Amino acid sequence: MSKSFARRLADIEPFRVVEVLTRAKALAAAGRDIIHMEAGEPDFSSAEPIIRAAKASLDRGETSYTPAAGIPALRQAIAKYYKQDHGLDIAPERIMITPGASGALLLLAGLLINPGDGMLMTDPGYPCNRHFLRLVEGEGQLVPVGPEDRFQLSAEKAEQHWQPNTKGIMVASPANPSGEILTAPQLRDLHSLCERKEGYLIVDEIYHGLNYGVDAPSILSITDQAFVINSFSKYFGMTGWRLGWLVAPEAAVPELEKLAQNLFISMSTMAQHAALAAFEPETRLILNERRDEFARRRDYLLPELRSLGFEIPHCPDGALYLYAGIKRFKMKSPEFCRSLLEDHGIAITPGEDFGRYRADEHVRFAYTTGMPRLVEGVARLRKLYG
């Protein structure tokens, strides 16, 4: 049967962090004590006001389809969030509610990419980006970036790698796996390049809110012609609700809505009504306390890993990750991660999940587990490499 499957599937690789997580959970189910530092999922349950709002929505019988772009109240709440947190006036009509950030990525791939088109993106970077493009017969044009670039794509490097079939640039700030943030001047330069090349600019901002002591500027403060992807999964802690949003130039919204009507019909009604509570002051206080806890975990784990010989040249200013070099340990990343999990009960993600450039020399630690478990994980690493 597999001989008749679409050829594109050969180019769409597994999401390896999910495979690591599945194996780690299987070992835990078999009685092993596993330290989970693999998945980018906040370990806190959704905030209680969000859960209460979902229950209240069900009690009111709100279980029918909603508009494909999302319920108006939620689009308005997100617009208010941009005003309060960023000082930006974003028309609610430019905001599309999506089934997670993944839904926004699928809509943009369908909107912007013709067969054979490409989009520049960082290597390393979030792996699913290039696979969404491949699904619509496009390609992710991976640009190698390293510690010297703070793992981010500069306008200068993007211009060097621009190809005749390049349709634009996709970046993330804060980024996965590095946690690095693009400054306002860097975003402005990327926007200027795309304007000059008549290309599109997509900025993944799903880790906004999880930035530690520094500003994470939105591209929306620079232009209304970029596409912004965001999510309720990370800062807002609603991973399993599968809800995100997309901010688009006004002219693109009708076409995006048409795609959403066909691809999704509508988002989860319950999740949308729950998300309304995510912006309430009571909820924001809880979320900001959790953000501060993530910062404490980062500030503990970073020096500990450095002391063991992991190479982390810069302290990342956002997200939930430390992207660490492992040259000292004389093992390739997949083998290193496999050994840590199978032999020592430490689950981390190999660099190959995020691209190809120096992937065998890097691993990603997610500080999405509590401090006692991080301390135990470091103790196990110290027994091995201290």
Side-chain angles (χ1 to χ4, degrees):
M1 183 186 295
S2 63
K3 291 180 180 179
S4 64
F5 291 163
R7 288 188 297 273
R8 67 176 67 89
L9 292 176
D11 300 325
I12 296 177
E13 302 169 28
F15 198 1
R16 290 180 180 85
V17 67
V18 176
E19 294 185 333
V20 174
L21 179 61
T22 299
R23 177 58 181 162
K25 287 183 175 180
L27 290 172
R32 293 280 303 278
D33 181 31
I34 305 299
I35 309 293
H36 290 282
M37 291 187 279
E38 73 276 41
E41 179 175 23
D43 56 322
F44 303 104
S45 63
S46 296
E48 183 58 31
I50 294 172
I51 296 173
R52 288 200 306 266
K55 292 177 178 178
S57 173
L58 292 177
D59 288 340
R60 292 191 299 268
E62 293 167 331
T63 58
S64 57
Y65 289 135
T66 72
I71 60 174
L74 185 54
R75 299 168 81 186
Q76 292 161 5
I78 294 170
K80 184 179 178 182
Y81 162 75
Y82 277 110
K83 181 66 173 179
Q84 291 179 338
D85 280 45
H86 296 279
L88 299 174
D89 290 311
I90 306 297
E93 294 76 19
R94 293 177 54 204
I95 298 168
M96 297 276 302
I97 310 303
T98 59
S102 298
L105 285 163
L106 180 57
L107 289 178
L108 288 178
L111 177 77
L112 304 179
I113 301 299
N114 288 310
D117 288 342
M119 186 75 66
L120 296 177
M121 55 187 65
T122 60
D123 180 359
Y126 182 60
C128 300
N129 291 342
R130 64 183 186 269
H131 297 148
F132 275 110
L133 298 184
R134 180 64 186 90
L135 186 67
V136 295
E137 303 300 325
E139 64 170 344
Q141 297 172 329
L142 303 184
V143 180
V145 293
E148 66 279 7
D149 308 297
R150 299 187 76 98
F151 295 104
Q152 285 286 12
L153 183 59
S154 67
E156 180 182 13
K157 184 163 282 193
E159 184 162 21
Q160 292 170 358
H161 286 81
W162 199 283
Q163 301 176 39
N165 67 331
T166 298
K167 292 293 290 290
I169 299 169
M170 183 185 298
V171 291
S173 178
N176 178 9
S178 68
E180 297 285 4
I181 291 175
L182 287 163
T183 65
Q186 288 174 312
L187 289 168
R188 191 173 294 111
D189 289 345
L190 288 168
H191 166 59
S192 296
L193 173 63
C194 287
E195 270 199 324
R196 182 156 46 85
K197 295 283 192 178
E198 298 184 343
Y200 301 107
L201 178 58
I202 302 170
V203 184
D204 173 342
E205 298 183 353
I206 73 169
Y207 292 98
H208 270 218
L210 294 177
N211 42 294
Y212 310 116
V214 300
D215 184 38
S218 173
I219 187 62
L220 297 171
S221 66
I222 295 167
T223 177
D224 60 3
Q225 293 303 302
F227 295 88
V228 167
I229 297 167
N230 212 317
S231 173
F232 287 95
S233 290
K234 307 303 182 181
Y235 168 72
F236 294 100
M238 296 177 64
T239 51
W241 303 80
R242 302 313 303 137
L243 204 65
W245 74 83
L246 169 63
V247 183
E250 184 178 354
V253 172
E255 298 302 315
L256 288 166
E257 192 162 2
K258 179 176 67 177
L259 281 172
Q261 291 165 353
N262 282 274
L263 293 174
F264 315 129
I265 301 177
S266 69
M267 305 321 113
S268 162
T269 303
M270 179 183 67
Q272 291 184 74
H273 285 282
L276 287 170
F279 301 102
E280 295 297 326
E282 177 189 9
T283 311
R284 294 297 301 275
L285 181 62
I286 295 169
L287 300 180
N288 288 341
E289 289 174 350
R290 294 176 175 184
R291 177 198 60 205
D292 294 343
E293 172 61 19
F294 286 128
R296 285 190 287 272
R297 295 176 187 180
R298 178 202 63 174
D299 292 344
Y300 165 74
L301 189 58
L302 176 61
E304 293 289 347
L305 292 179
R306 283 174 169 170
S307 73
L308 291 169
F310 291 92
E311 300 172 17
I312 311 172
H314 311 113
C315 177
D317 290 321
L320 300 164
Y321 314 115
L322 297 172
Y323 195 56
I326 59 169
K327 285 194 292 186
R328 179 212 155 178
F329 306 108
K330 311 297 183 185
M331 295 173 68
K332 291 186 176 181
S333 177
E335 178 188 0
F336 183 80
C337 292
R338 192 177 305 113
S339 173
L340 282 186
L341 177 58
E342 299 290 341
D343 300 331
H344 307 288
I346 302 170
I348 60 175
T349 307
E352 66 176 348
D353 207 18
F354 308 103
R356 303 179 182 92
Y357 180 61
R358 297 177 60 186
D360 281 345
E361 301 174 11
H362 287 84
V363 297
R364 189 193 72 177
F365 289 85
Y367 41 90
T368 50
T369 192
M371 189 68 78
R373 301 301 285 163
L374 291 181
V375 171
E376 171 62 21
V378 167
R380 293 184 192 183
L381 289 169
R382 195 165 295 284
K383 285 182 182 178
L384 289 169
Y385 304 117

